[in-house]
Coordinates of all heavy atoms in Angstrom, one line a residue:
M38 N 0.8 34.9 -43.4 CA 0.7 34.0 -42.3 C -0.4 32.9 -42.6 O -1.5 33.3 -43.0 CB 0.3 34.8 -41.0 CG 0.2 34.0 -39.8 SD -0.2 35.1 -38.4 CE 0.9 34.6 -37.3
P39 N -0.1 31.6 -42.4 CA -1.0 30.6 -42.7 C -2.2 30.6 -41.7 O -2.1 30.9 -40.6 CB -0.2 29.3 -42.6 CG 0.9 29.6 -41.7 CD 1.2 31.1 -41.9
K40 N -3.4 30.2 -42.3 CA -4.6 30.1 -41.4 C -4.5 28.9 -40.6 O -4.1 27.8 -41.1 CB -5.8 30.1 -42.3 CG -6.2 31.4 -42.8 CD -7.5 31.3 -43.5 CE -8.0 32.6 -44.0 NZ -9.3 32.6 -44.6
L41 N -5.0 29.0 -39.3 CA -5.1 27.9 -38.5 C -6.4 27.2 -38.7 O -7.4 27.8 -38.8 CB -4.9 28.3 -37.0 CG -3.6 28.8 -36.6 CD1 -3.6 29.3 -35.1 CD2 -2.5 27.8 -36.8
R42 N -6.3 25.9 -38.8 CA -7.5 25.1 -39.1 C -8.0 24.4 -37.8 O -7.1 23.9 -37.1 CB -7.2 24.1 -40.2 CG -8.3 23.8 -41.1 CD -7.8 22.9 -42.2 NE -7.0 21.8 -41.8 CZ -6.8 20.7 -42.4 NH1 -7.5 20.5 -43.6 NH2 -6.1 19.7 -42.0
R43 N -9.2 24.5 -37.5 CA -9.7 23.8 -36.3 C -10.0 22.3 -36.7 O -10.7 22.0 -37.6 CB -11.0 24.4 -35.9 CG -11.6 23.7 -34.7 CD -12.9 24.4 -34.3 NE -12.5 25.0 -33.0 CZ -13.3 25.7 -32.3 NH1 -14.5 26.0 -32.7 NH2 -12.9 26.2 -31.1
L44 N -9.4 21.5 -35.9 CA -9.6 20.0 -36.1 C -10.7 19.6 -35.2 O -10.7 19.8 -34.1 CB -8.3 19.3 -35.8 CG -7.1 19.6 -36.6 CD1 -5.9 18.8 -36.1 CD2 -7.3 19.2 -38.1
S45 N -11.6 18.9 -35.8 CA -12.8 18.4 -35.1 C -12.7 16.9 -34.9 O -13.7 16.2 -35.2 CB -14.1 18.9 -35.7 OG -14.2 18.4 -37.0
A46 N -11.6 16.4 -34.6 CA -11.4 15.0 -34.4 C -12.0 14.5 -33.1 O -12.0 15.2 -32.1 CB -9.9 14.6 -34.4
R47 N -12.5 13.4 -33.1 CA -13.1 12.8 -31.9 C -12.0 12.2 -31.1 O -11.1 11.6 -31.6 CB -14.1 11.7 -32.2 CG -15.4 12.3 -32.9 CD -16.4 11.3 -33.1 NE -15.9 10.1 -33.7 CZ -16.5 8.9 -33.8 NH1 -17.7 8.8 -33.2 NH2 -16.0 7.9 -34.4
L48 N -12.1 12.4 -29.8 CA -11.1 11.8 -28.9 C -11.4 10.4 -28.7 O -12.6 10.0 -28.5 CB -11.1 12.6 -27.5 CG -10.7 14.1 -27.6 CD1 -10.9 14.7 -26.2 CD2 -9.3 14.2 -28.1
P49 N -10.4 9.6 -28.6 CA -10.6 8.1 -28.4 C -11.2 7.9 -26.9 O -10.7 8.5 -26.0 CB -9.2 7.5 -28.5 CG -8.3 8.6 -28.3 CD -9.0 9.9 -28.7
T50 N -12.2 7.1 -26.8 CA -12.7 6.8 -25.5 C -12.3 5.5 -25.0 O -12.6 5.2 -23.8 CB -14.3 6.8 -25.6 OG1 -14.7 5.9 -26.6 CG2 -14.8 8.2 -26.0
T51 N -11.6 4.7 -25.8 CA -11.2 3.3 -25.3 C -9.7 3.2 -25.4 O -9.2 2.0 -25.3 CB -11.9 2.2 -26.1 OG1 -11.5 2.4 -27.5 CG2 -13.4 2.3 -26.0
A52 N -9.0 4.2 -25.5 CA -7.5 4.1 -25.6 C -6.9 3.6 -24.3 O -5.9 2.8 -24.3 CB -6.9 5.5 -25.9
I53 N -7.4 4.0 -23.1 CA -6.9 3.6 -21.8 C -8.1 3.1 -21.0 O -9.2 3.7 -21.0 CB -6.2 4.7 -21.1 CG1 -5.0 5.2 -21.9 CG2 -5.8 4.3 -19.7 CD1 -4.4 6.4 -21.3
S54 N -7.9 1.9 -20.4 CA -9.0 1.4 -19.6 C -8.4 0.8 -18.3 O -7.2 0.4 -18.3 CB -9.8 0.4 -20.3 OG -9.0 -0.7 -20.7
E55 N -9.2 0.7 -17.3 CA -8.7 0.1 -16.0 C -9.3 -1.3 -15.9 O -10.5 -1.5 -16.3 CB -9.2 1.0 -14.8 CG -8.5 2.3 -14.8 CD -8.8 3.1 -13.5 OE1 -9.3 2.4 -12.6 OE2 -8.6 4.3 -13.5
K56 N -8.5 -2.2 -15.4 CA -9.0 -3.5 -15.1 C -8.5 -3.9 -13.8 O -7.4 -3.5 -13.4 CB -8.4 -4.5 -16.2 CG -8.9 -4.3 -17.6 CD -8.3 -5.3 -18.5 CE -8.6 -5.1 -19.9 NZ -8.0 -6.0 -20.8
P57 N -9.3 -4.7 -13.0 CA -8.8 -5.2 -11.8 C -7.5 -6.1 -12.0 O -7.5 -6.8 -13.0 CB -9.9 -6.1 -11.2 CG -11.1 -5.7 -12.0 CD -10.6 -5.1 -13.3
K58 N -6.6 -5.9 -11.2 CA -5.3 -6.7 -11.3 C -4.9 -7.2 -9.9 O -4.8 -6.4 -9.0 CB -4.2 -5.8 -11.9 CG -2.9 -6.5 -12.1 CD -1.9 -5.5 -12.7 CE -0.5 -6.2 -12.8 NZ 0.5 -5.3 -13.3
M59 N -4.6 -8.5 -9.8 CA -4.1 -9.0 -8.6 C -2.7 -8.6 -8.4 O -1.8 -8.9 -9.2 CB -4.3 -10.5 -8.5 CG -4.0 -11.1 -7.1 SD -4.4 -12.8 -7.0 CE -2.7 -13.4 -7.1
I60 N -2.4 -7.9 -7.3 CA -1.0 -7.5 -7.0 C -0.4 -8.2 -5.9 O 0.8 -8.1 -5.6 CB -0.9 -6.0 -6.7 CG1 -1.7 -5.6 -5.5 CG2 -1.4 -5.2 -7.9 CD1 -1.4 -4.2 -5.0
G61 N -1.2 -9.1 -5.2 CA -0.7 -9.8 -4.1 C -1.8 -10.5 -3.3 O -3.0 -10.4 -3.8
T62 N -1.5 -11.1 -2.2 CA -2.5 -11.8 -1.4 C -2.2 -11.4 0.0 O -1.1 -11.0 0.4 CB -2.4 -13.3 -1.5 OG1 -1.1 -13.7 -1.2 CG2 -2.7 -13.8 -2.9
F63 N -3.2 -11.6 0.9 CA -3.0 -11.4 2.3 C -3.8 -12.4 3.1 O -4.8 -13.0 2.6 CB -3.4 -10.0 2.7 CG -4.9 -9.7 2.7 CD1 -5.7 -9.8 3.8 CD2 -5.4 -9.1 1.6 CE1 -7.0 -9.5 3.8 CE2 -6.8 -8.8 1.5 CZ -7.6 -9.0 2.6
T64 N -3.3 -12.7 4.2 CA -4.0 -13.7 5.1 C -4.2 -13.0 6.5 O -3.5 -12.2 6.9 CB -3.1 -15.0 5.3 OG1 -1.8 -14.6 5.8 CG2 -2.9 -15.7 4.0
T65 N -5.3 -13.5 7.1 CA -5.6 -13.0 8.5 C -5.7 -14.2 9.4 O -6.1 -15.3 8.9 CB -6.8 -12.1 8.5 OG1 -7.9 -12.9 8.1 CG2 -6.7 -10.9 7.6
G66 N -5.4 -14.0 10.6 CA -5.6 -15.1 11.6 C -5.5 -14.5 13.0 O -5.3 -13.3 13.2
T67 N -5.6 -15.4 13.9 CA -5.5 -15.1 15.3 C -4.4 -15.9 15.9 O -4.1 -17.0 15.6 CB -6.8 -15.5 16.0 OG1 -7.9 -14.9 15.4 CG2 -6.8 -15.1 17.5
A68 N -3.6 -15.2 16.8 CA -2.5 -15.8 17.4 C -3.0 -16.9 18.3 O -3.9 -16.7 19.2 CB -1.7 -14.8 18.2
A69 N -2.4 -18.1 18.2 CA -2.9 -19.2 19.1 C -2.6 -19.0 20.5 O -3.5 -19.3 21.4 CB -2.1 -20.5 18.6
A70 N -1.5 -18.4 20.9 CA -1.2 -18.2 22.3 C -1.9 -17.0 22.9 O -2.1 -16.9 24.1 CB 0.3 -18.0 22.5
H71 N -2.3 -16.1 22.0 CA -3.0 -14.8 22.4 C -4.2 -14.6 21.5 O -4.1 -13.8 20.6 CB -2.0 -13.6 22.4 CG -0.8 -13.8 23.2 ND1 -0.8 -13.7 24.6 CD2 0.5 -14.2 22.8 CE1 0.4 -13.9 25.0 NE2 1.2 -14.2 24.0
P72 N -5.3 -15.2 21.8 CA -6.5 -15.1 21.0 C -7.0 -13.6 20.7 O -7.7 -13.4 19.8 CB -7.6 -15.9 21.6 CG -6.9 -16.6 22.7 CD -5.6 -16.0 23.0
G73 N -6.6 -12.7 21.6 CA -7.0 -11.3 21.4 C -6.2 -10.6 20.3 O -6.6 -9.4 20.0
I74 N -5.1 -11.2 19.9 CA -4.3 -10.5 18.9 C -4.5 -11.1 17.5 O -4.5 -12.3 17.3 CB -2.8 -10.6 19.2 CG1 -2.5 -10.0 20.6 CG2 -1.9 -10.1 18.2 CD1 -1.1 -10.1 21.1
R75 N -4.8 -10.2 16.6 CA -5.0 -10.6 15.2 C -3.8 -10.3 14.3 O -3.2 -9.2 14.5 CB -6.2 -9.8 14.6 CG -7.0 -10.5 13.8 CD -8.4 -10.0 13.6 NE -8.9 -10.4 12.3 CZ -9.3 -11.6 12.0 NH1 -9.3 -12.5 13.0 NH2 -9.7 -11.9 10.8
L76 N -3.4 -11.2 13.5 CA -2.3 -11.0 12.6 C -2.8 -10.9 11.1 O -3.6 -11.6 10.7 CB -1.3 -12.2 12.7 CG -0.2 -12.3 11.6 CD1 0.8 -11.1 11.9 CD2 0.5 -13.6 11.6
V77 N -2.2 -9.9 10.5 CA -2.5 -9.7 9.0 C -1.2 -9.6 8.3 O -0.3 -8.9 8.7 CB -3.3 -8.3 8.8 CG1 -3.6 -8.1 7.3 CG2 -4.5 -8.2 9.6
S78 N -1.1 -10.5 7.3 CA 0.2 -10.6 6.6 C -0.1 -10.6 5.1 O -1.0 -11.3 4.6 CB 1.0 -11.8 7.0 OG 2.2 -11.9 6.3
G79 N 0.6 -9.8 4.3 CA 0.4 -9.7 2.9 C 1.7 -10.1 2.1 O 2.8 -10.0 2.6
T80 N 1.5 -10.6 1.0 CA 2.6 -11.0 0.1 C 2.4 -10.4 -1.3 O 1.3 -10.6 -1.9 CB 2.6 -12.6 -0.1 OG1 2.7 -13.2 1.2 CG2 3.8 -13.0 -1.0
L81 N 3.3 -9.5 -1.7 CA 3.2 -8.8 -2.9 C 3.8 -9.6 -4.0 O 4.8 -10.3 -3.9 CB 4.0 -7.5 -2.8 CG 3.7 -6.4 -3.7 CD1 2.3 -5.9 -3.6 CD2 4.7 -5.2 -3.5
K82 N 3.1 -9.6 -5.2 CA 3.6 -10.3 -6.4 C 4.9 -9.7 -6.8 O 5.1 -8.5 -6.8 CB 2.6 -10.3 -7.5 CG 1.5 -11.2 -7.3 CD 0.5 -11.2 -8.4 CE 1.1 -11.8 -9.7 NZ 0.1 -11.9 -10.8
V83 N 5.9 -10.5 -7.2 CA 7.2 -10.0 -7.7 C 6.9 -9.1 -8.9 O 6.1 -9.4 -9.8 CB 8.1 -11.2 -8.2 CG1 9.3 -10.7 -8.8 CG2 8.4 -12.1 -7.0
G84 N 7.6 -7.9 -8.9 CA 7.5 -7.0 -10.0 C 6.4 -5.9 -9.8 O 6.3 -5.0 -10.5
T85 N 5.6 -6.0 -8.7 CA 4.7 -5.0 -8.4 C 5.4 -3.8 -7.8 O 6.1 -4.0 -6.8 CB 3.6 -5.5 -7.4 OG1 3.0 -6.7 -8.0 CG2 2.5 -4.5 -7.1
P86 N 5.2 -2.6 -8.3 CA 6.0 -1.5 -7.9 C 5.6 -0.9 -6.5 O 6.5 -0.3 -5.8 CB 5.7 -0.4 -8.9 CG 4.4 -0.8 -9.5 CD 4.3 -2.3 -9.4
S87 N 4.4 -1.1 -6.0 CA 4.0 -0.5 -4.7 C 3.1 -1.4 -3.9 O 2.2 -2.0 -4.4 CB 3.3 0.8 -5.0 OG 2.8 1.3 -3.8
A88 N 3.4 -1.5 -2.6 CA 2.6 -2.3 -1.7 C 1.5 -1.6 -1.1 O 0.6 -2.1 -0.4 CB 3.5 -2.9 -0.6
V89 N 1.4 -0.3 -1.4 CA 0.4 0.6 -0.7 C -1.0 0.1 -1.0 O -1.8 0.0 0.0 CB 0.6 2.1 -1.1 CG1 -0.6 2.9 -0.7 CG2 1.9 2.6 -0.6
P90 N -1.5 -0.3 -2.2 CA -2.8 -0.7 -2.4 C -3.1 -2.0 -1.6 O -4.2 -2.2 -1.0 CB -3.0 -1.0 -3.9 CG -1.9 -0.1 -4.5 CD -0.8 -0.1 -3.5
L91 N -2.2 -2.9 -1.5 CA -2.4 -4.1 -0.7 C -2.5 -3.8 0.8 O -3.4 -4.4 1.5 CB -1.2 -5.1 -1.0 CG -1.3 -6.5 -0.3 CD1 -2.5 -7.2 -0.7 CD2 0.0 -7.3 -0.6
I92 N -1.7 -3.0 1.3 CA -1.7 -2.6 2.7 C -3.0 -1.9 3.0 O -3.7 -2.2 4.0 CB -0.5 -1.7 3.1 CG1 0.8 -2.5 2.9 CG2 -0.7 -1.2 4.5 CD1 2.0 -1.7 3.1
K93 N -3.5 -1.0 2.1 CA -4.8 -0.4 2.4 C -5.9 -1.4 2.4 O -6.8 -1.3 3.3 CB -5.1 0.7 1.3 CG -4.3 1.9 1.5 CD -4.6 2.9 0.4 CE -3.8 4.2 0.6 NZ -4.2 5.2 -0.4
R94 N -5.9 -2.4 1.5 CA -6.9 -3.4 1.5 C -6.9 -4.3 2.8 O -7.9 -4.7 3.3 CB -6.7 -4.3 0.3 CG -7.7 -5.4 0.1 CD -9.1 -4.9 0.0 NE -10.0 -6.0 -0.1 CZ -10.7 -6.6 0.9 NH1 -10.6 -6.0 2.1 NH2 -11.5 -7.6 0.7
M95 N -5.7 -4.6 3.3 CA -5.5 -5.3 4.5 C -6.1 -4.6 5.7 O -6.8 -5.1 6.5 CB -4.0 -5.6 4.7 CG -3.4 -6.6 3.8 SD -1.6 -6.7 3.8 CE -1.2 -6.9 5.5
K96 N -5.9 -3.3 5.7 CA -6.4 -2.4 6.8 C -7.9 -2.3 6.7 O -8.6 -2.3 7.8 CB -5.7 -1.1 6.8 CG -4.3 -1.1 7.2 CD -3.6 0.2 7.1 CE -3.9 1.0 8.3 NZ -3.2 2.2 8.4
Q97 N -8.5 -2.3 5.5 CA -9.9 -2.3 5.4 C -10.5 -3.6 5.9 O -11.5 -3.6 6.6 CB -10.3 -2.2 3.9 CG -10.2 -0.8 3.3 CD -10.4 -0.8 1.8 OE1 -10.7 -1.8 1.2 NE2 -10.4 0.4 1.2
E98 N -9.9 -4.7 5.7 CA -10.3 -6.0 6.1 C -10.4 -6.1 7.6 O -11.3 -6.7 8.2 CB -9.4 -7.1 5.5 CG -9.8 -8.5 5.9 CD -11.1 -9.0 5.3 OE1 -11.5 -8.4 4.2 OE2 -11.7 -9.9 5.8
T99 N -9.4 -5.5 8.3 CA -9.3 -5.6 9.7 C -10.0 -4.5 10.5 O -10.1 -4.5 11.7 CB -7.9 -5.7 10.2 OG1 -7.2 -4.5 9.7 CG2 -7.2 -6.9 9.6
A100 N -10.6 -3.5 9.8 CA -11.1 -2.3 10.4 C -12.3 -2.7 11.3 O -12.5 -2.0 12.3 CB -11.6 -1.3 9.4
Q101 N -13.1 -3.7 11.0 CA -14.3 -4.0 11.8 C -13.9 -4.9 13.0 O -14.8 -5.2 13.8 CB -15.3 -4.7 10.9 CG -15.0 -6.1 10.5 CD -14.3 -6.1 9.1 OE1 -13.9 -5.1 8.6 NE2 -14.1 -7.3 8.6
H102 N -12.7 -5.4 13.1 CA -12.3 -6.2 14.2 C -11.9 -5.4 15.5 O -11.2 -4.4 15.4 CB -11.2 -7.1 13.8 CG -11.5 -8.1 12.7 ND1 -12.4 -9.1 12.9 CD2 -11.1 -8.1 11.4 CE1 -12.5 -9.8 11.8 NE2 -11.8 -9.2 10.9
A103 N -12.4 -5.8 16.6 CA -12.0 -5.2 17.9 C -10.7 -5.8 18.4 O -10.4 -6.9 18.0 CB -13.1 -5.3 18.9
G104 N -10.1 -5.1 19.3 CA -8.9 -5.7 19.9 C -7.6 -5.3 19.1 O -7.6 -4.4 18.2
D105 N -6.5 -5.9 19.5 CA -5.2 -5.6 18.9 C -5.1 -6.2 17.5 O -5.5 -7.3 17.3 CB -4.1 -6.0 19.8 CG -4.1 -5.3 21.2 OD1 -4.5 -4.1 21.2 OD2 -3.8 -6.0 22.2
I106 N -4.4 -5.5 16.6 CA -4.2 -6.0 15.3 C -2.7 -5.8 15.0 O -2.2 -4.7 15.2 CB -5.0 -5.3 14.2 CG1 -6.5 -5.5 14.5 CG2 -4.7 -5.7 12.8 CD1 -7.4 -4.6 13.7
L107 N -2.0 -6.8 14.6 CA -0.6 -6.8 14.3 C -0.5 -6.8 12.8 O -1.0 -7.7 12.1 CB 0.1 -8.0 14.9 CG 1.6 -8.1 14.6 CD1 2.3 -6.9 15.2 CD2 2.2 -9.4 15.2
V108 N 0.1 -5.7 12.2 CA 0.3 -5.6 10.8 C 1.7 -5.7 10.4 O 2.6 -5.0 10.9 CB -0.2 -4.2 10.3 CG1 0.0 -4.1 8.8 CG2 -1.7 -4.0 10.6
D109 N 2.0 -6.7 9.6 CA 3.4 -7.0 9.2 C 3.6 -6.2 7.9 O 2.7 -6.3 6.9 CB 3.5 -8.5 8.9 CG 4.9 -8.9 8.5 OD1 5.9 -8.1 8.7 OD2 5.1 -9.9 7.9
C110 N 4.6 -5.4 7.7 CA 4.8 -4.7 6.5 C 6.3 -4.7 6.1 O 7.2 -5.1 6.9 CB 4.4 -3.2 6.7 SG 5.3 -2.3 7.9
P111 N 6.6 -4.2 4.9 CA 8.0 -4.3 4.4 C 8.9 -3.4 5.3 O 8.4 -2.4 5.9 CB 7.9 -3.7 3.0 CG 6.5 -3.8 2.6 CD 5.7 -3.7 3.9
P112 N 10.2 -3.7 5.3 CA 11.1 -2.8 6.0 C 11.3 -1.5 5.3 O 11.0 -1.3 4.2 CB 12.4 -3.6 6.0 CG 12.3 -4.5 4.8 CD 10.8 -4.8 4.6
G113 N 11.8 -0.5 6.1 CA 12.1 0.8 5.5 C 11.2 1.9 6.0 O 10.3 1.6 6.8
T114 N 11.4 3.1 5.5 CA 10.6 4.2 5.9 C 9.9 4.8 4.7 O 9.7 6.0 4.6 CB 11.5 5.3 6.6 OG1 12.6 5.6 5.7 CG2 12.1 4.8 7.9
F115 N 9.5 4.0 3.8 CA 9.0 4.4 2.6 C 7.4 4.4 2.7 O 6.9 4.2 3.7 CB 9.4 3.6 1.4 CG 10.9 3.5 1.3 CD1 11.6 2.4 1.7 CD2 11.7 4.6 0.9 CE1 13.0 2.4 1.6 CE2 13.0 4.6 0.9 CZ 13.7 3.5 1.2
C116 N 6.7 4.7 1.6 CA 5.3 4.8 1.5 C 4.6 3.6 2.1 O 3.6 3.7 2.8 CB 4.8 5.0 0.1 SG 5.3 6.6 -0.6
S117 N 5.1 2.4 1.9 CA 4.4 1.2 2.4 C 4.4 1.2 3.9 O 3.4 0.8 4.5 CB 5.0 -0.1 1.8 OG 6.4 -0.1 2.1
M118 N 5.5 1.5 4.5 CA 5.6 1.5 6.0 C 4.7 2.6 6.5 O 4.0 2.4 7.5 CB 7.0 1.7 6.4 CG 7.2 1.5 7.9 SD 6.8 2.9 9.0 CE 7.8 4.2 8.5
V119 N 4.7 3.8 5.9 CA 3.9 4.9 6.4 C 2.4 4.5 6.3 O 1.6 4.8 7.2 CB 4.2 6.2 5.6 CG1 3.2 7.3 5.9 CG2 5.6 6.6 5.9
T120 N 2.0 3.9 5.2 CA 0.6 3.5 5.0 C 0.2 2.5 6.1 O -0.9 2.5 6.6 CB 0.4 2.9 3.6 OG1 0.7 3.9 2.7 CG2 -1.0 2.5 3.4
A121 N 1.1 1.6 6.4 CA 0.8 0.5 7.4 C 0.6 1.1 8.8 O -0.2 0.6 9.5 CB 2.0 -0.5 7.4
V122 N 1.4 2.1 9.2 CA 1.3 2.6 10.6 C 0.4 3.8 10.7 O 0.1 4.2 11.8 CB 2.7 3.0 11.1 CG1 3.6 1.8 11.1 CG2 3.3 4.1 10.4
K123 N -0.1 4.3 9.6 CA -1.0 5.5 9.6 C -2.3 5.1 10.4 O -2.9 4.1 10.2 CB -1.4 5.9 8.2 CG -2.1 7.2 8.1 CD -2.3 7.5 6.6 CE -3.0 8.9 6.5 NZ -3.2 9.2 5.1
C124 N -2.7 6.0 11.3 CA -3.8 5.9 12.2 C -3.7 4.8 13.2 O -4.6 4.3 13.8 CB -5.1 5.6 11.4 SG -5.5 7.0 10.2
S125 N -2.5 4.4 13.5 CA -2.2 3.4 14.5 C -2.1 4.0 15.9 O -1.7 5.2 16.0 CB -0.9 2.6 14.2 OG -1.0 1.9 13.0
D126 N -2.5 3.3 16.9 CA -2.4 3.8 18.3 C -1.0 3.5 18.8 O -0.5 4.2 19.7 CB -3.4 3.1 19.2 CG -4.8 3.4 18.8 OD1 -5.0 4.6 18.4 OD2 -5.7 2.6 19.0
F127 N -0.4 2.5 18.3 CA 1.0 2.0 18.7 C 1.7 1.4 17.6 O 1.1 0.8 16.7 CB 0.8 1.0 19.9 CG 2.1 0.5 20.4 CD1 2.9 1.3 21.3 CD2 2.6 -0.7 20.0 CE1 4.1 0.8 21.8 CE2 3.8 -1.2 20.5 CZ 4.6 -0.4 21.4
C128 N 3.0 1.7 17.5 CA 3.8 1.2 16.4 C 5.2 0.7 16.9 O 5.8 1.4 17.7 CB 4.0 2.3 15.4 SG 5.1 1.8 14.0
L129 N 5.5 -0.5 16.6 CA 6.8 -1.0 16.9 C 7.7 -1.1 15.6 O 7.3 -1.8 14.7 CB 6.7 -2.5 17.5 CG 8.0 -3.2 17.8 CD1 8.7 -2.5 18.9 CD2 7.7 -4.6 18.2
L130 N 8.7 -0.3 15.6 CA 9.6 -0.2 14.4 C 10.9 -1.0 14.7 O 11.5 -0.7 15.7 CB 9.9 1.3 14.1 CG 8.7 2.1 13.7 CD1 9.2 3.6 13.5 CD2 8.0 1.6 12.5
V131 N 11.2 -1.8 13.8 CA 12.4 -2.6 13.8 C 13.4 -1.9 12.8 O 13.1 -1.8 11.7 CB 12.2 -4.1 13.5 CG1 13.5 -4.8 13.5 CG2 11.2 -4.7 14.4
T132 N 14.6 -1.5 13.3 CA 15.5 -0.9 12.4 C 16.8 -1.7 12.5 O 17.0 -2.6 13.3 CB 15.8 0.6 12.8 OG1 16.4 0.6 14.1 CG2 14.5 1.4 12.8
E133 N 17.7 -1.3 11.6 CA 19.1 -1.9 11.7 C 20.1 -0.9 12.0 O 19.9 0.3 11.6 CB 19.4 -2.6 10.3 CG 19.3 -1.7 9.1 CD 19.5 -2.4 7.8 OE1 19.9 -3.5 7.8 OE2 19.2 -1.7 6.8
P134 N 21.2 -1.2 12.6 CA 22.2 -0.3 13.0 C 23.2 0.1 11.9 O 24.3 -0.3 11.9 CB 22.9 -0.9 14.2 CG 22.8 -2.4 13.8 CD 21.5 -2.6 13.2
T135 N 22.6 0.8 10.9 CA 23.5 1.2 9.7 C 23.5 2.7 9.6 O 22.6 3.3 10.2 CB 22.9 0.6 8.4 OG1 21.6 1.2 8.2 CG2 22.8 -0.9 8.4
P136 N 24.4 3.3 9.0 CA 24.5 4.7 8.8 C 23.2 5.3 8.2 O 22.7 6.3 8.5 CB 25.7 5.0 7.9 CG 26.6 3.8 8.2 CD 25.7 2.6 8.4
L137 N 22.6 4.5 7.2 CA 21.4 5.0 6.5 C 20.3 5.0 7.5 O 19.5 6.0 7.6 CB 21.1 4.1 5.3 CG 19.8 4.5 4.6 CD1 19.9 5.9 4.0 CD2 19.5 3.5 3.5
A138 N 20.1 4.0 8.3 CA 19.0 4.0 9.3 C 19.2 5.1 10.3 O 18.3 5.8 10.7 CB 19.0 2.6 10.0
D139 N 20.5 5.3 10.7 CA 20.7 6.4 11.7 C 20.4 7.7 11.1 O 19.8 8.6 11.8 CB 22.2 6.3 12.1 CG 22.5 7.3 13.2 OD1 21.8 7.3 14.2 OD2 23.5 8.1 13.1
M140 N 20.7 8.0 9.9 CA 20.4 9.2 9.2 C 18.9 9.4 9.1 O 18.4 10.5 9.2 CB 21.1 9.3 7.8 CG 20.9 10.6 7.1 SD 21.7 10.6 5.5 CE 20.6 9.4 4.6
T141 N 18.2 8.3 8.8 CA 16.7 8.4 8.6 C 16.1 8.9 9.9 O 15.1 9.7 9.9 CB 16.2 7.1 8.2 OG1 16.8 6.7 7.0 CG2 14.7 7.1 8.0
W142 N 16.5 8.4 11.0 CA 15.8 8.7 12.3 C 16.3 9.9 13.0 O 15.8 10.3 14.0 CB 15.9 7.4 13.2 CG 15.2 6.3 12.6 CD1 15.7 5.2 12.1 CD2 13.8 6.1 12.4 NE1 14.8 4.3 11.6 CE2 13.6 4.9 11.7 CE3 12.7 7.0 12.6 CZ2 12.3 4.5 11.4 CZ3 11.4 6.5 12.3 CH2 11.2 5.3 11.6
N143 N 17.4 10.5 12.6 CA 18.0 11.7 13.2 C 17.8 12.9 12.4 O 17.5 13.2 11.5 CB 19.5 11.5 13.5 CG 19.7 10.5 14.6 OD1 18.9 10.4 15.6 ND2 20.7 9.7 14.5

């Protein structure tokens, strides 16, 4: 039986690194007709796989504001929508009358 040799190779420390990357932008504002309502809207860069980090950043930005906050998010019932409505007091969901939407909510 061959002897096993212990390899004492050093592990690479710079093989993978993290860098800040812009995945989208967001804007905040106040409704002209209703100054107590704040609007937060984000735009994800094309090709970005997940809107969740952008939505979390938008919610951080508005956390210190009092009053109502309107968060605009992508359609569907996926992670981005769940992240947008998490910890909300009220949520208005817009759906479409399709078999898939019906199956999702039933």
Side-chain angles (χ1 to χ4, degrees):
M38 182 177 226
K40 283 187 174 183
L41 294 177
R42 212 170 48 151
R43 175 178 255 180
L44 297 175
S45 60
R47 291 186 309 165
L48 296 175
T50 57
T51 59
I53 298 175
S54 63
E55 292 185 19
K56 295 180 184 177
K58 179 181 177 183
M59 190 174 102
I60 62 167
T62 59
F63 69 93
T64 56
T65 62
T67 305
H71 303 282
I74 297 179
R75 217 159 151 76
L76 173 67
V77 181
S78 182
T80 304
L81 199 62
K82 285 180 71 174
V83 175
T85 304
S87 174
V89 171
L91 180 62
I92 294 169
K93 285 182 177 180
R94 178 65 180 95
M95 290 167 52
K96 290 177 80 172
Q97 286 174 355
E98 180 70 22
T99 59
Q101 70 269 9
H102 297 289
D105 297 325
I106 300 170
L107 179 62
V108 179
D109 179 22
C110 66
T114 56
F115 305 106
C116 294
S117 55
M118 188 282 300
V119 172
T120 302
V122 301
K123 189 174 182 180
C124 299
S125 296
D126 295 327
F127 179 79
C128 176
L129 176 65
L130 298 176
V131 179
T132 63
E133 57 183 348
T135 63
L137 180 60
D139 187 49
M140 182 180 71
T141 301
W142 297 110
N143 290 324

